[in-house]
Amino acid sequence: MWLGPEEVLVANALWVTERANPFFVLQRRRGHGKGGGLTGLLVGTLDVVLDSSARVAPYRILHQTQDSQVYWTVACGSSRKEITKHWEWLENNLLQTLSIFDNEEDITTFVKGKIHGIIAEENKNVQPQGDEDPGKFKEAELKMRKQFGMPEGEKLVNYYSCSYWKGRVPRQGWLYLTVNHMCFYSFLLGKEVSLVVQWVDVTRLEKNATLLFPESIRVDTRDQELFFSMFLNIGETFKLMEQLANLAMRQLLDNEDFLEDKALPRPVQPHRNISALKRDLDARAKNECYRATFRLPRDERLDGHTGCTLWTPFSKLHIPGQMFISNNYICFASKEEDACHLIIPLREVTIVEKADSSSVLPRPLSISTKSKMTFLFANLKDRDFLVQRISDFLQKTPSKQPSGSTGERKTSVVDPAAEFLPAPQETHQQPTSPSSPLSGHQGFSAQNVPTASQGLLKLFRRNLPTEDLGVKEAKEKMKEESWDIHFFEYGRGMCMYRTAKTRELVLKGIPESLRGELWLLFSGAWNEMVTHPGYYAELVEKSMGKYSLATEEIERDLHRSMPEHPAFQNELGIAALRRVLTAYAFRNPTIGYCQAMNIVTSVLLLYGSEEEAFWLLVALCERMLPDYYNTRVVGALIDQGIFEELTRDFLPQLSEKMQELGVISSISLSWFLTLFLSVMPFESAVVIVDCFFYEGIKVILQVALAILDANMEQLLGCNDEGEAMTILGRCLDNVVNKQSTSPPVPHLHALLTSGDEPPTQTDIFDLLKASYEKFSSLRASDIEQMRFKQRLKVIQSLEDTAKRSVRAIPGDIGFSIEELEDLYMVFKAKHLASQYWGSSHTAAARRDPSLPYLEQYRIAASQFQELFACLTPWACGTHTPVLAGRMFRLLDKNKDSLINFKEFVTGMSGMYHGDMTEKLKVLYKLHLPPALNSEEAESALEATHYFTEDSSSEASPLASDLDLFLPWEAQEALPQEDREGSRSEDTQEKRAEEKGTSPPDYRHYLRMWAKEREAQKETIKDLPKMNQEQFIELCKTLYNMFSEDPLEQDLYHAIATVASLLLRIGEVGKKFSSHSGRKPTDGTPSRDQGSSTKDESPPPARVSQDPVQECQPPAAGDPQAKAGGDTHLGKVPQESQTVVEGGSGEGQGSPSQLLSDDETKDDISMSSYSVVSTNSLHCEDLMDDTVLVGVEARSPTATARIGNTVDTDWCISFEQILASILTESVLVNFFEKRVDIGLKIKDQKKVERQLSASSEHEPSVALG
């Protein structure tokens, strides 16, 4: 690459001059290339340790004039080819021009100007891509790609100097962190260490300090433990490694690929050592933290933050903290955690103005909202710039909400005029909660379906007996008054000051009349609801009447959702629950529906309208409980892991006992998934939900720890898991809420755990108080850190489970469990590699996490071809890709151009296991449709007539699980065949539709399973016959297969003998068929390929099979050349390329093989084809050195056919091929020979890692 000219004072230190002319010098770095001796070793070591190899390419060109001692770098290159290109350009374009100049200074000025011009021209083309990585960084990326053999698609994020501990010896080198890999390279005095670890393989990543490794980062995979230390900035490195490992886990979890954020603001001056990707990831981390802190929507992006103070009218203080600004919000967080949080949506802002500065209040900024609140910020460093940014965002904010109803609701909720409502009665009459109905919503509810336009609790209210009601009602009124006073002092709605006082009130319990409103505000659901008016109604409309697996599961669970509550004992509540759950499944098909969502949603519906419950569910599933409700409840498992870790920290004695009994994993999952709603009386659990919406998951963990702590003594005395679960169940059933104004809802769980003694009751508020007193040291940031650690553990254990699920593959596959697990890992790696560097969208579409493990990862033909080439025991040289394509088509039973692991293993097994007959059967099928496609052989259509009704029950080891021929048969089935054939065709169409659009129906899997069970053992007589062209292909494959064998010549002679024998058998069979095969039985297609009756009355289905193939005359040229094959049968005269007239028996779909002279010239050898061409083709141009020269003499029936085309009347059966091969022992031995797939898998893994120098089993390799 050309470089902006820079001065070099000492030109020859560490460099060797290779070429020179009066104006330029080409130099090579010492230690690069061959030789170099001790100097080379020292320079190589220095380059690695000092990072000069990342800055300095191994070749460079310097400019120098004769009298000057100063040199100027003008170009560098990573290879001799690159630098030579630059050198030749300089010689051809500049040398003559420079010799004209008299003054040396002019020469240097001219050269510098020219080089700058070239660089500017190059950059002009690159600029639109926004590639702004600094030059030094680009060189490091090139170095990384070259060193570790990474493709262009692998992006470097950052690189750090550090030491890798190999044994007890530190190796100083460079750690390269890319999007998908962690790489390390060290070269010290001739000893080289090269490491590559995929992020998806990392099982543990932590920062620790021990005596042996002072402040180091530990990276574990399934095979090895790696330690890195001596970082200049270990905190930054570890944070970046965490982010990249997290992205990889996300990829494993839900197939989410890493996409660079194009909307990221560009820096005015890029930092010379930070890549665009690194900035992107840093911005992501800040955005995630910002959104989590203030519970903002997922698409909110932080623009910037600055230190400031906020005037708090309730405490008459200026509180120091940070102001955060994003496209739709201004937020404030105090330095002290509980002092004050504030969220101001820009949609609420009316005035932003700079107030007068004073010594008491320097650089103040006043922000007023529609709800008549004014917020005063001061001590802002760059106030003018800040005001400009806020005004820019305000201009983009829609001034009016689309729905008039939102404004109406806003006055009732956000408008602090509600602060001035003196009497609580007015609060009930004029609704002050978001539960008040939307006018738009009422329009929606005018449909015939009953709609819950307010909380179901208001509609189904039951009163307590009057003696209890007085006291509890008074307490409820006191709570409402406390909140009214709080709203008066701190504001109401989104712009409320959130302080320690707010938390205290939440802990005392939210009054039922305010619960819906405050849940919406604290969860952030209110923001999304206000900014998406009409979205829910639209979703309901779209999702109604749509059938999917999710809707079926929802229907099944509707009546199990709080059946004890009167609200869900009638159609109104059930219908509302159905609509909310179905709308959410429609919004987020990756989650769809998960058990426990029904219980949580039914509680949300009690306190809010349908739309509010929907947005609360969105907040729960997508932000507050991430990954909880996916198919594998990963989020809940992660938090369960955190709970176990916290139990070890806070209750070590109990932790040991619980681990011994295995209780924690059994009990805690339902606690987390349903927020205690399924295990605790409703009126008590709802208080925990209040705190959860304010504090997040921290509360659930604290309460869980408090429950264990309260029952510690009894739990320590338990003898088994059942006893421990009974104790905890009874304790939870007797957590009561004595302040509840509603009568207690009978709890079904309590019936199972009631004992003889009356249990002791625990007040929910005492439990919460205890949880805060004992375990309040938990911090949200600590929980996030622990979540990362547990996420690695949980997802990798799920991947291990997936790997172990290979045991479900039927035993007749033949591979051992270890081999199947290895194959699974190789197959998965190929899928992931296609995501890294292929087209990420198509790769992402290939994985459906709702499918069984063995069917989740799928690969396309190109990836299958690569795996086939590495793993097949039938290496066929240049013919291997063609064979791979045929195997892929054979395995791709549903014609979606993708195969899953189960199908892949079935194909591999066919080549590796079974006796010679089974292997030959697979080989035979690879040369018949559907494996042999119409592009490869025009006569492929002819073979479809042999797929008769009984072939649907084929069940060779290759087809036992897959019904390989079914799709082909379904397309080609004759109308007069029985109903079974047409039914399979319909099923095929349905399955194709299901695969593309809606989630798969489980009944479809049951049908498939039943079909597999019914499959009968295939016999060799079920296989269709093979025509001459297909036989030619088979011989060609065998020829290529033998070309790398030690017994090559013997095998060639054997196959020549067998092929000539089979040709004669075919000729004899043809004579018989011409007499006896003309009149097949009615309704039964002839088994004979040569039958003219069959050709005269083609089946109707064939018209739709390939109209292009049938309507057009066969194109001149070998169709196999198009498909990547290399079959050529000798030179055919041009006049042979005439189409047989349409009226003849061979007219329709005629499979004539048409060849031109020049197409035969690129053939590798003619020897494999002479054997099959003696009966139908002229053979005068066969090569002299062929091993088959005697064949023609042994074939007396050889006669020239019309036009010298392949003989279509000729056919052969599998039994005849098998019998012929059995006569040659060398062929029998070849197919009976066992091949170890384990060695091939190891080789494939090496290829997969794409390393220039790394070892297979060791974490590193040292090259002396």
Side-chain angles (χ1 to χ4, degrees):
M1 59 190 282
W2 298 104
L3 300 174
E6 286 182 15
E7 251 183 54
V8 177
L9 293 174
V10 187
N12 293 318
L14 309 181
W15 292 87
V16 180
T17 300
E18 293 204 334
R19 290 191 190 182
N21 63 38
F23 303 105
F24 298 101
V25 181
L26 190 155
Q27 296 185 325
R28 172 176 58 81
R29 186 82 168 161
R30 287 183 192 274
H32 184 83
K34 293 177 182 175
L38 182 61
T39 319
L41 282 177
L42 289 169
V43 173
T45 302
L46 277 172
D47 281 350
V48 170
V49 174
L50 302 177
D51 187 27
S52 53
S53 60
R55 251 178 309 117
V56 179
Y59 297 95
R60 70 179 182 182
I61 297 174
L62 303 178
H63 162 66
Q64 186 217 15
T65 49
Q66 287 177 345
D67 299 335
S68 170
Q69 295 301 309
V70 178
Y71 289 79
W72 300 84
T73 55
V74 293
C76 71
S78 57
S79 66
R80 190 179 292 278
K81 184 181 174 185
E82 184 187 356
I83 207 71
T84 307
K85 187 178 162 190
H86 289 334
W87 179 262
E88 286 171 355
W89 188 90
L90 290 169
E91 283 191 328
N92 297 336
N93 294 284
L94 287 191
L95 277 189
Q96 284 185 327
T97 313
L98 294 178
S99 59
I100 299 167
F101 285 95
D102 298 329
N103 188 341
E104 291 191 350
E105 281 183 19
D106 292 346
I107 292 174
T108 303
T109 307
F110 178 79
V111 169
K112 284 159 78 175
K114 196 74 179 167
I115 299 299
H116 280 303
I118 294 170
I119 292 169
E121 191 64 31
E122 282 181 353
N123 287 348
K124 192 170 73 178
N125 301 331
V126 175
Q127 210 67 38
Q129 298 170 8
D131 189 357
E132 69 217 22
D133 290 346
K136 179 181 176 185
F137 191 87
K138 280 183 188 167
E139 287 174 22
E141 188 167 53
L142 285 171
K143 163 92 177 166
M144 177 274 296
R145 285 201 192 123
K146 188 178 171 192
Q147 188 64 54
F148 302 103
M150 296 289 176
E152 282 285 322
E154 187 65 346
K155 301 276 189 205
L156 179 64
V157 180
N158 214 348
Y159 62 105
Y160 300 94
S161 168
C162 70
S163 286
Y164 160 63
W165 291 78
K166 191 177 179 197
R168 299 197 172 203
V169 182
R171 298 294 182 89
Q172 186 68 25
W174 288 88
L175 184 69
Y176 297 90
L177 305 180
T178 73
V179 173
N180 302 303
H181 296 83
M182 179 188 81
C183 312
F184 176 82
Y185 181 75
S186 167
F187 179 86
L188 290 174
L189 299 175
K191 297 287 184 187
E192 190 176 42
V193 175
S194 183
L195 282 177
V196 172
V197 173
Q198 285 190 344
W199 289 118
V200 288
D201 292 334
V202 172
T203 56
R204 182 175 176 183
L205 179 65
E206 59 187 29
K207 189 166 61 171
N208 53 20
T210 61
L211 288 172
L212 184 61
F213 305 119
E215 204 173 27
S216 62
I217 292 175
R218 174 180 177 170
V219 182
D220 286 9
T221 65
R222 289 175 179 82
D223 316 316
Q224 53 195 5
E225 293 176 8
L226 309 172
F227 289 91
F228 300 93
S229 65
M230 299 188 192
F231 290 92
L232 290 173
N233 188 344
I234 194 166
E236 181 197 321
T237 312
F238 183 70
K239 191 176 167 189
L240 181 58
M241 289 168 89
E242 257 189 348
Q243 276 182 289
L244 292 167
N246 241 331
L247 284 171
M249 293 306 108
R250 175 62 49 203
Q251 198 177 43
L252 284 178
L253 179 61
D254 57 13
N255 221 31
E256 191 178 289
D257 204 12
F258 175 76
L259 292 171
E260 202 171 334
D261 188 353
K262 300 294 180 195
L264 199 66
R266 302 292 180 206
V268 184
Q269 282 187 319
H271 191 284
R272 67 186 190 90
N273 215 12
I274 293 182
S275 68
L277 271 178
K278 173 77 167 67
R279 288 193 307 102
D280 185 333
L281 286 165
D282 288 346
R284 278 175 191 233
K286 284 179 181 172
N287 283 334
E288 281 168 20
C289 183
Y290 170 61
R291 289 194 294 261
T293 306
F294 299 105
R295 306 269 166 81
L296 299 176
R298 285 192 301 177
D299 55 355
E300 199 60 27
R301 285 199 176 101
L302 179 65
D303 187 67
H305 58 94
T306 181
C308 67
T309 58
L310 170 68
W311 169 252
T312 51
F314 51 87
S315 60
K316 308 288 186 288
L317 288 171
H318 289 282
I319 297 179
Q322 289 273 325
M323 177 197 269
F324 300 86
I325 296 176
S326 59
N327 14 356
N328 297 299
Y329 298 89
I330 299 169
C331 301
F332 174 85
S334 58
K335 282 188 178 173
E336 285 179 51
E337 195 179 354
D338 288 340
C340 183
H341 266 218
L342 181 65
I343 301 166
I344 309 170
L346 290 180
R347 62 177 183 267
E348 295 290 319
V349 173
T350 52
I351 301 168
V352 178
E353 60 180 346
K354 293 183 272 190
D356 293 334
S357 205
S358 67
S359 56
V360 182
L361 208 62
R363 301 178 298 283
L365 179 68
S366 161
I367 297 176
S368 302
T369 66
K370 292 174 184 173
S371 52
K372 313 288 187 297
M373 290 179 81
T374 302
F375 303 96
L376 189 62
F377 297 93
N379 291 289
L380 290 157
K381 286 176 187 167
D382 199 345
R383 186 176 61 165
D384 294 344
F385 176 72
L386 197 67
V387 170
Q388 184 58 48
R389 289 305 287 162
I390 294 172
S391 66
D392 289 347
F393 285 133
L394 277 170
Q395 282 172 0
K396 294 175 192 171
T397 306
S399 56
K400 256 190 175 180
Q401 291 302 322
S403 156
S405 60
T406 317
E408 172 200 317
R409 292 185 64 184
K410 207 178 289 174
T411 51
S412 68
V413 183
V414 184
D415 193 339
E419 301 164 10
F420 305 111
L421 297 176
Q425 297 94 302
E426 280 185 56
T427 310
H428 291 298
Q429 289 159 9
Q430 182 192 347
T432 57
S433 86
S435 302
S436 57
L438 265 167
S439 61
H441 193 110
Q442 286 170 333
F444 160 60
S445 67
Q447 299 170 11
N448 295 329
V449 290
T451 304
S453 57
Q454 55 182 323
L456 293 173
L457 209 60
K458 291 179 181 173
L459 301 174
F460 298 93
R461 193 167 190 87
R462 296 175 306 161
N463 289 325
L464 279 169
T466 44
E467 63 272 10
D468 292 338
L469 189 60
V471 180
K472 294 192 175 181
E473 196 69 47
K475 278 191 178 177
E476 189 76 0
K477 290 270 189 292
M478 281 169 63
K479 277 188 195 175
E480 285 175 6
E481 281 174 20
S482 301
W483 277 99
D484 284 339
I485 294 164
H486 186 272
F487 291 148
F488 182 80
E489 287 186 14
Y490 296 85
R492 186 168 192 171
M494 215 59 229
C495 302
M496 178 201 297
Y497 291 98
R498 299 164 197 220
T499 66
K501 175 80 174 153
T502 317
R503 177 197 279 163
E504 277 174 37
L505 282 177
V506 171
L507 278 172
K508 286 176 184 172
I510 296 175
E512 294 203 341
S513 59
L514 294 174
R515 190 163 267 145
E517 173 188 344
L518 293 174
W519 281 3
L520 281 167
L521 294 178
F522 295 150
S523 66
W526 175 248
N527 286 320
E528 290 185 283
M529 189 169 80
V530 169
T531 52
H532 294 84
Y535 176 80
Y536 171 69
E538 195 181 310
L539 265 186
V540 170
E541 207 172 312
K542 283 183 187 170
S543 62
M544 273 302 174
K546 294 278 172 64
Y547 174 81
S548 69
L549 192 58
T551 55
E552 192 165 314
E553 288 176 348
I554 289 167
E555 285 302 323
R556 196 176 60 223
D557 284 353
L558 281 177
H559 295 279
R560 303 176 190 170
S561 313
M562 294 190 69
E564 61 274 16
H565 199 286
F568 298 100
Q569 291 167 359
N570 68 83
E571 188 48 36
L572 179 69
I574 293 292
L577 184 58
R578 178 188 291 116
R579 281 192 295 274
V580 173
L581 289 172
T582 308
Y584 187 76
F586 200 75
R587 167 191 163 90
N588 190 344
T590 52
I591 288 178
Y593 169 77
C594 171
Q595 278 190 330
M597 280 169 77
N598 59 323
I599 294 170
V600 175
T601 310
S602 56
V603 173
L604 300 178
L605 276 167
L606 290 175
Y607 295 101
S609 69
E610 275 183 41
E611 186 175 20
E612 290 160 357
F614 171 78
W615 285 112
L616 280 167
L617 185 62
V618 168
L620 271 177
C621 295
E622 295 172 17
R623 289 186 283 110
M624 299 188 73
L625 296 174
D627 303 323
Y628 259 58
Y629 299 109
N630 58 23
T631 47
R632 297 187 276 181
V633 294
V634 173
L637 292 171
I638 289 167
D639 286 348
Q640 185 177 282
I642 294 175
F643 179 46
E644 289 187 28
E645 200 175 324
L646 291 172
T647 310
R648 276 196 298 277
D649 294 345
F650 287 107
L651 309 166
Q653 194 183 353
L654 183 60
S655 172
E656 281 180 34
K657 182 72 177 178
M658 298 294 270
Q659 289 292 340
E660 185 188 313
L661 297 174
V663 174
I664 289 185
S665 55
S666 310
I667 53 165
S668 54
L669 203 59
S670 58
W671 297 3
F672 293 116
L673 277 171
T674 64
L675 308 175
F676 288 100
L677 287 164
S678 65
V679 293
M680 209 181 261
F682 162 72
E683 56 278 2
S684 305
V686 86
V687 178
I688 295 177
V689 177
D690 292 343
C691 300
F692 167 74
F693 277 123
Y694 188 77
E695 293 264 51
I697 193 64
K698 166 187 165 177
V699 175
I700 306 294
L701 291 165
Q702 283 179 187
V703 171
L705 286 168
I707 290 165
L708 289 187
D709 186 50
N711 293 279
M712 191 188 292
E713 284 182 24
Q714 289 173 279
L715 288 170
L716 287 172
C718 286
N719 297 317
D720 57 35
E721 184 185 1
E723 195 179 339
M725 289 182 76
T726 306
I727 289 166
L728 289 168
R730 195 175 299 171
C731 166
L732 288 163
D733 286 329
N734 291 287
V735 175
V736 294
N737 179 359
K738 293 173 183 172
Q739 298 177 16
S740 173
T741 54
S742 303
V745 177
H747 193 237
L748 297 181
H749 192 257
L751 303 173
L752 305 173
T753 54
S754 57
D756 303 330
E757 303 167 22
T760 52
Q761 291 190 332
T762 311
D763 190 276
I764 182 63
F765 296 104
D766 293 341
L767 184 65
L768 277 171
K769 189 180 173 187
S771 76
Y772 271 89
E773 283 173 358
K774 293 183 179 178
F775 309 111
S776 61
S777 57
L778 277 176
R779 292 279 172 275
S781 54
D782 298 338
I783 291 172
E784 275 311 306
Q785 185 65 43
M786 291 162 88
R787 268 182 170 169
F788 165 72
K789 190 175 163 186
Q790 292 297 331
R791 192 176 292 122
L792 283 180
K793 202 181 285 183
V794 167
I795 292 177
Q796 293 295 11
S797 71
L798 285 171
E799 288 299 308
D800 289 340
T801 306
K803 193 169 83 169
R804 284 195 296 276
S805 67
V806 299
R807 295 161 198 266
I809 287 177
D812 60 357
I813 287 293
F815 291 115
S816 68
I817 297 296
E818 291 74 21
E819 285 171 342
L820 282 171
E821 287 182 357
D822 285 345
L823 279 170
Y824 179 81
M825 295 312 285
V826 166
F827 187 85
K828 186 177 101 178
K830 186 58 71 179
H831 167 89
L832 290 172
S834 72
Q835 270 190 301
Y836 297 161
W837 305 312
S839 160
S840 60
H841 296 294
T842 54
R846 283 178 211 148
R847 182 163 174 232
D848 180 357
S850 65
L851 289 171
Y853 283 131
L854 296 178
E855 296 172 33
Q856 281 188 16
Y857 294 109
R858 294 181 292 168
I859 57 174
S862 54
Q863 283 97 43
F864 177 78
Q865 205 172 85
E866 291 165 20
L867 280 180
F868 184 89
C870 293
L871 299 176
T872 180
W874 299 340
C876 295
T878 54
H879 189 59
T880 305
V882 181
L883 203 62
R886 289 176 192 162
M887 178 64 88
F888 185 84
R889 286 190 291 277
L890 187 63
L891 297 174
D892 181 20
K893 57 171 183 158
N894 51 12
K895 302 285 179 248
D896 65 349
S897 301
L898 295 169
I899 63 167
N900 61 38
F901 179 68
K902 200 171 176 184
E903 293 166 332
F904 170 72
V905 167
T906 309
M908 285 289 124
S909 172
M911 295 185 289
Y912 274 94
H913 299 294
D915 56 15
M916 186 184 80
T917 309
E918 297 300 330
K919 290 178 183 174
L920 282 174
K921 215 187 278 183
V922 175
L923 198 57
Y924 186 81
K925 286 178 186 174
L926 288 178
H927 297 83
L928 294 173
L932 195 77
N933 65 7
S934 54
E935 289 178 0
E936 285 191 317
E938 285 185 22
S939 62
L941 291 174
E942 296 294 321
T944 60
H945 290 280
Y946 290 111
F947 290 88
T948 51
E949 189 55 36
D950 57 348
S951 68
S952 64
S953 60
E954 286 172 359
S956 68
L958 184 68
S960 60
D961 296 299
L962 299 170
D963 294 333
L964 292 175
F965 291 113
L966 182 62
W968 187 272
E969 181 194 343
Q971 289 169 19
E972 296 293 327
L974 294 175
Q976 60 262 45
E977 287 177 351
D978 65 22
R979 289 187 301 273
E980 194 60 39
S982 61
R983 193 154 64 235
S984 67
E985 190 173 3
D986 293 341
T987 309
Q988 195 60 37
E989 284 171 17
K990 276 183 198 164
R991 282 165 58 190
E993 282 171 27
E994 282 173 3
K995 198 148 194 170
T997 54
S998 59
D1001 177 6
Y1002 70 91
R1003 289 177 299 192
H1004 150 70
Y1005 293 114
L1006 286 174
R1007 284 196 294 271
M1008 278 178 61
W1009 177 79
K1011 198 185 293 176
E1012 285 177 9
R1013 297 306 99 202
E1014 288 165 14
Q1016 298 164 8
K1017 187 72 178 169
E1018 178 192 55
T1019 65
I1020 55 177
K1021 290 186 179 178
D1022 293 330
L1023 291 169
K1025 291 188 180 183
M1026 184 177 267
N1027 69 18
Q1028 192 173 58
E1029 190 165 2
Q1030 292 157 355
F1031 180 67
I1032 290 168
E1033 284 295 322
L1034 178 62
C1035 290
K1036 174 178 179 296
T1037 300
L1038 287 168
Y1039 167 79
N1040 282 293
M1041 202 185 288
F1042 301 150
S1043 63
E1044 297 171 17
D1045 197 275
L1047 299 171
E1048 187 176 0
Q1049 289 303 315
D1050 294 344
L1051 286 163
Y1052 285 160
H1053 281 292
I1055 200 62
T1057 310
V1058 167
S1060 90
L1061 176 63
L1062 287 167
L1063 281 166
R1064 282 180 298 198
I1065 291 171
E1067 287 294 332
V1068 173
K1070 187 175 65 177
K1071 287 180 181 176
F1072 282 106
S1073 68
S1074 63
H1075 296 297
S1076 60
R1078 288 192 180 276
K1079 293 182 182 178
T1081 316
D1082 285 345
T1084 311
S1086 167
R1087 304 274 302 185
D1088 189 341
Q1089 194 112 10
S1091 167
S1092 59
T1093 311
K1094 170 205 68 184
D1095 282 329
E1096 284 164 11
S1097 55
R1102 281 192 42 199
V1103 178
S1104 62
Q1105 171 64 23
D1106 193 350
V1108 179
Q1109 193 74 37
E1110 307 229 346
C1111 298
Q1112 294 179 351
D1118 182 2
Q1120 290 185 342
K1122 294 176 202 166
D1126 48 5
T1127 303
H1128 304 290
L1129 305 174
K1131 297 178 183 176
V1132 182
Q1134 286 293 324
E1135 63 268 18
S1136 70
Q1137 301 182 7
T1138 55
V1139 182
V1140 182
E1141 287 182 15
S1144 72
E1146 292 180 341
Q1148 196 171 34
S1150 174
S1152 304
Q1153 178 90 12
L1154 304 171
L1155 298 166
S1156 62
D1157 287 345
D1158 38 334
E1159 281 178 317
T1160 61
K1161 291 174 186 170
D1162 62 345
D1163 195 5
I1164 49 165
S1165 166
M1166 302 301 292
S1167 58
S1168 60
Y1169 315 125
S1170 58
V1171 61
V1172 293
S1173 54
T1174 50
N1175 285 321
S1176 54
L1177 300 171
H1178 291 306
C1179 301
E1180 63 271 10
D1181 56 349
L1182 289 180
M1183 293 166 62
D1184 294 335
D1185 59 349
T1186 175
V1187 296
L1188 306 174
V1189 288
V1191 172
E1192 195 164 350
R1194 293 198 294 263
S1195 300
T1197 56
T1199 52
R1201 298 258 154 232
I1202 297 168
N1204 285 326
T1205 56
V1206 174
D1207 187 349
T1208 53
D1209 293 340
W1210 185 97
C1211 67
I1212 197 95
S1213 70
F1214 177 72
E1215 298 101 304
Q1216 291 165 333
I1217 290 176
L1218 177 62
S1220 304
I1221 285 179
L1222 285 170
T1223 62
E1224 295 289 336
S1225 60
V1226 67
L1227 287 174
V1228 174
N1229 293 339
F1230 178 84
F1231 283 105
E1232 292 283 6
K1233 182 173 62 183
R1234 286 192 66 79
V1235 183
D1236 182 11
I1237 197 170
L1239 296 171
K1240 289 188 177 286
I1241 291 171
K1242 281 179 185 173
D1243 292 341
Q1244 161 62 16
K1245 283 182 179 172
K1246 285 179 185 170
V1247 171
E1248 204 62 57
R1249 288 172 67 180
Q1250 300 187 353
L1251 294 186
S1252 52
S1254 79
S1255 90
E1256 174 55 23
H1257 298 293
E1258 308 257 329
S1260 62
V1261 63
L1263 303 174

